[in-house]
Amino acid sequence: MIRLTIQAALGALAALLLGLSALAAEQRVPQSHATIQRAVDQAAAGDVIVIADGTYMENVTIENKSRLTIRARNEGRVTVQSRFASAVFEVKNSSEIVFDGLIISSGTEIAQDGSGQVPVGNGGVLVEDSNTITFDTGTLSNNLGPGLLLDNATDVTLVDCLIRANQQTNTFIRDGETVDDETTKGHGIEATGRSSFTLDGVTVEGNQGSGIFLTNEAQGTVTEESRIRNNLGSGVKLEDRATASLVDVTIETTRADSGEEGDPGDGVRAEMDSRVVLKDVTVQNNAGAGLYLNRGTALVSGSTVTGNAANGFTVENQSTLEVSDGTEVSDNSGFGLRVLNAT
């Protein structure tokens, strides 16, 4: 009787392990699947899609998926480029998705007039109505539109990533034809619709829009020596009740946007009932103010605001600024602090 019980238990355990192995599998591209999209379509919860070195011209949709990892076999040697005027990856109604070691960028097409190659795409990665999305040691670069667009996406984490040179555009190639549209900024990261994200050791640089743009109650945390530099308009911009916490971050060399309604190159800009916390942050050598508030709130501690081409702090229109000991404001071209109708 005892022997039968043990045998039954071992049989049940073996069946369980077999079931788990069936649930978690490695899907290989292109060995097992010709395209990344086919691997995604066939993947079950817990699967890992491993992509061999190379460049893949695809627009990939991940919808209604959970516990899925998409990994470069060798970090930084897999590039995925868009073929059509949509994001390279679209993640919708999904959870626990991991991108590991990929380079994501817009592709090119032959222009309709035959003049040569022109970019095609509409952002690097769109995450919509999804949660617990992770980007690990990846690059989102040279996309038309934002490198990463979050819309009602929560618990998004980027670790040791590079987000650079994403481009502003008002022209897309759709079905071989040139289509003019309203201008889309090439923000490094754009978060809207109560999205939330964390950046850990991330560099956001050289984008044709704000390095990070938060709106519509989005929430962001940027930390662990992240660097936001040489972006167009604002280093970090918040509006419409957005919030951000910046800890141990450098924001520098933001360029003024001379376009219509463009921002003047502030390091951090908070408007429309937004709130930002700066702790141990360096804001330096930006084309505008180090920190600009217009109906915004900021708490600043242990930070350095220096060498900016306008004021160190500009505080306007019922804004609130609280600065604690240990903050240095020096060598800015304007005032250290300029206050208009604010506290």
Side-chain angles (χ1 to χ4, degrees), residues 105-315:
S105 66
S106 286
T108 59
E109 278 189 6
I110 298 293
Q112 189 176 15
D113 61 6
S115 59
Q117 296 283 339
V118 294
V120 59
N122 189 11
V125 180
L126 165 65
V127 183
E128 184 177 28
D129 298 325
S130 299
N131 67 83
T132 320
I133 312 299
T134 301
F135 297 83
D136 193 357
T137 59
T139 299
L140 289 82
S141 66
N142 297 294
N143 295 286
L144 290 181
L148 175 62
L149 175 59
L150 308 177
D151 186 357
N152 192 32
T154 57
D155 193 20
V156 177
T157 303
L158 292 86
V159 180
D160 296 332
C161 290
L162 173 63
I163 303 175
R164 68 180 304 273
N166 295 289
Q167 304 171 36
Q168 173 177 300
T169 183
N170 59 2
T171 301
F172 297 103
I173 305 297
R174 294 193 180 103
D175 300 324
E177 297 184 1
T178 301
V179 178
D180 292 324
D181 201 350
E182 63 182 42
T183 298
T184 299
K185 297 287 188 182
H187 303 302
I189 298 173
E190 180 176 345
T192 187
R194 298 186 178 181
S195 295
S196 63
F197 64 87
T198 299
L199 308 186
D200 185 344
V202 172
T203 297
V204 184
E205 65 180 12
N207 297 286
Q208 290 186 346
S210 298
I212 301 172
F213 175 49
L214 303 95
T215 186
N216 192 19
E217 302 185 40
Q219 302 177 33
T221 299
V222 185
T223 186
E224 292 299 329
E225 300 184 357
S226 292
R227 301 195 70 176
I228 303 167
R229 59 193 180 193
N230 199 32
N231 297 289
L232 184 67
S234 300
V236 178
K237 181 176 181 178
L238 304 90
E239 63 180 28
D240 196 14
R241 303 180 303 283
T243 61
S245 176
L246 313 176
V247 182
D248 191 18
V249 176
T250 299
I251 303 169
E252 59 189 352
T253 58
T254 305
R255 297 166 289 136
D257 183 353
S258 59
E260 185 177 352
E261 299 182 1
D263 294 329
D266 302 316
V268 179
R269 187 178 184 94
E271 303 178 282
M272 300 169 60
D273 302 313
S274 294
R275 184 178 187 273
V276 61
V277 175
L278 287 76
K279 182 179 180 181
D280 301 327
V281 172
T282 298
V283 186
Q284 62 186 11
N285 303 326
N286 297 287
L291 169 65
Y292 175 86
L293 300 176
N294 184 354
R295 219 173 74 210
T297 298
L299 307 177
V300 184
S301 64
S303 295
T304 300
V305 181
T306 185
N308 298 289
N311 306 307
F313 297 128
T314 299
V315 186

